[in-house]
Amino acid sequence: MRNKFFNEDEFTYTLKTIETDPYTAEERIKRYLEKYPRDYYARAYYVIILTIVCKIDEATEEYNKIISDVTNDKFFDVVSKNYKKYKAFKFNMVIARMKILAAKDKYQELYDFFLENYAILDIGYKNTIGYTCEIKLGMLKPSDIPSRPYRLNQTIDYSEERFFEHIKH
């Protein structure tokens, strides 16, 4: 019997194109969600993809729709009992919200949201997101960070040369 809520193989195939061709990933995930609209995990990924292709208003709308749908869907109670899938869904929703806030230059709201949710991301407070917000909010100068990791350097001061050096390794 075909699972009516999600298709792991089809979704995994769709994810493979996010980094190399996000526009194709967007089209694939749209088709996937037409068949499986209650796959909230995939819908959260769709929001992330929309932010990658700079469709911020659509991403915001879909994010809010997911929140509403999850609240009113009795099936979601079943998903939330599957801890691994629920944790992944929650992680994606936090990432999606942070991407939306960053794209809208709402760094104070992003910073507050990050502080409330960084444990879900399973990362330490002092990372690229926290540092970037503190710099954007004027709480910190880039020179105050002694050894900046690659991603933070590129966020603060993008360098194509550094990018090409990074991908060689």
Side-chain angles (χ1 to χ4, degrees), residues 65-110:
K65 192 169 176 350
I66 294 169
I67 299 294
S68 173
D69 290 352
V70 161
T71 304
N72 297 312
D73 189 344
K74 290 181 179 27
F75 167 72
F76 189 72
D77 289 337
V78 175
V79 173
S80 64
K81 288 180 176 73
N82 176 343
Y83 181 72
K84 185 177 177 186
K85 184 139 180 146
Y86 176 70
K87 186 176 177 186
F89 163 75
K90 206 167 175 181
F91 176 89
N92 283 350
M93 288 296 284
V94 168
I95 294 293
R97 179 81 178 137
M98 289 191 319
K99 284 182 167 286
I100 290 168
L101 293 171
K104 291 182 173 186
D105 291 329
K106 293 185 174 185
Y107 286 100
Q108 185 61 58
E109 195 175 336
L110 171 58

Side-chain angles (χ1 to χ4, degrees), residues 8-156:
E8 188 92 28
D9 293 335
E10 186 177 350
F11 181 66
T12 301
Y13 173 73
T14 299
L15 289 183
K16 289 181 180 180
T17 58
I18 288 177
E19 289 185 23
T20 57
D21 187 355
Y23 295 98
T24 298
E26 178 191 5
E27 289 306 313
R28 284 182 181 168
I29 203 161
K30 272 187 201 176
R31 287 193 304 272
Y32 174 85
L33 290 172
E34 286 170 5
K35 292 186 267 185
Y36 305 101
R38 292 168 76 188
D39 186 342
Y40 298 111
Y41 176 70
R43 286 178 61 190
Y45 254 108
Y46 179 53
V47 173
I48 292 168
I49 292 168
L50 288 172
T51 63
I52 292 168
V53 298
C54 299
K55 295 183 178 180
I56 306 309
D57 291 338
E58 286 179 49
T60 303
E61 186 178 314
E62 180 63 20
Y63 179 88
N64 291 332
K65 192 169 176 350
I66 294 169
I67 299 294
S68 173
D69 290 352
V70 161
T71 304
N72 297 312
D73 189 344
K74 290 181 179 27
F75 167 72
F76 189 72
D77 289 337
V78 175
V79 173
S80 64
K81 288 180 176 73
N82 176 343
Y83 181 72
K84 185 177 177 186
K85 184 139 180 146
Y86 176 70
K87 186 176 177 186
F89 163 75
K90 206 167 175 181
F91 176 89
N92 283 350
M93 288 296 284
V94 168
I95 294 293
R97 179 81 178 137
M98 289 191 319
K99 284 182 167 286
I100 290 168
L101 293 171
K104 291 182 173 186
D105 291 329
K106 293 185 174 185
Y107 286 100
Q108 185 61 58
E109 195 175 336
L110 171 58
Y111 188 62
D112 296 341
F113 184 78
F114 169 71
L115 292 177
E116 291 169 16
N117 293 283
Y118 74 87
I120 292 169
L121 301 173
D122 198 23
I123 57 176
Y125 159 71
K126 290 296 185 182
N127 68 23
T128 302
I129 301 163
Y131 281 135
T132 300
C133 288
E134 289 178 352
I135 290 165
K136 293 283 188 179
L137 295 169
M139 300 164 64
L140 191 65
K141 291 183 216 144
S143 58
D144 293 340
I145 307 165
S147 63
R148 298 189 310 228
Y150 167 77
R151 291 177 83 184
L152 181 59
N153 264 330
Q154 289 296 78
T155 302
I156 296 168

